[in-house]
Amino acid sequence: MTSITRYKRAVERITRETSWLSIDQKALVALGPVVSHGMDFFQVARNGLYSDRLLRMVRILEQGEKVASFWYLYRCNPKGVTAALENAGLSIEDLRDFSNCLKTIRDKTFVHIDKAAVSDPQQVYNKAGITKSKLDKVIWALWDTMKGLYQMTFCNTYKRDAYTGHDIPLLKKYRDDIAQYK
């Protein structure tokens, strides 16, 4: 496979991953005000979305010479990736800092269970210092960046079905309907 073909396939794959990442984020934001009653489907779904979101972030921002992650795209096209990222409102340095914090979470508790961190996995997350606002900013900056890189690479807009989270309020109606029969 030529390096140009690999780069194009990586742009396509990372764009798809960031697309799903942004959908996970929209769903989690929409689920935010939903109150779960014990261990219900919506608690299970929320937990699954949190895990999926984090795993996609880890996959997208994985560091290493043998992976076709965002950092591979950056090594192949530093000017284009930097410009697309800055157009999305994030610097390469800020993303690298975020990526390093994410790697600590990945290595200590999320993908591996580090024996030194097994007694307090929450401490790993706290020490990484990834806030909700920082996470949100990075997710949307990555999505905008990848849409831009996709456009530059394929001279075409990335197409996907839109998801807004508008269906989640149906949960209230469902619960209200069930409450009538109790």
Side-chain angles (χ1 to χ4, degrees), residues 157-173:
T157 302
Y158 183 78
K159 300 205 181 348
R160 71 169 189 182
D161 291 335
Y163 182 73
T164 62
H166 70 281
D167 53 342
I168 292 174
L170 294 173
L171 169 63
K172 181 177 179 343
K173 181 176 178 359

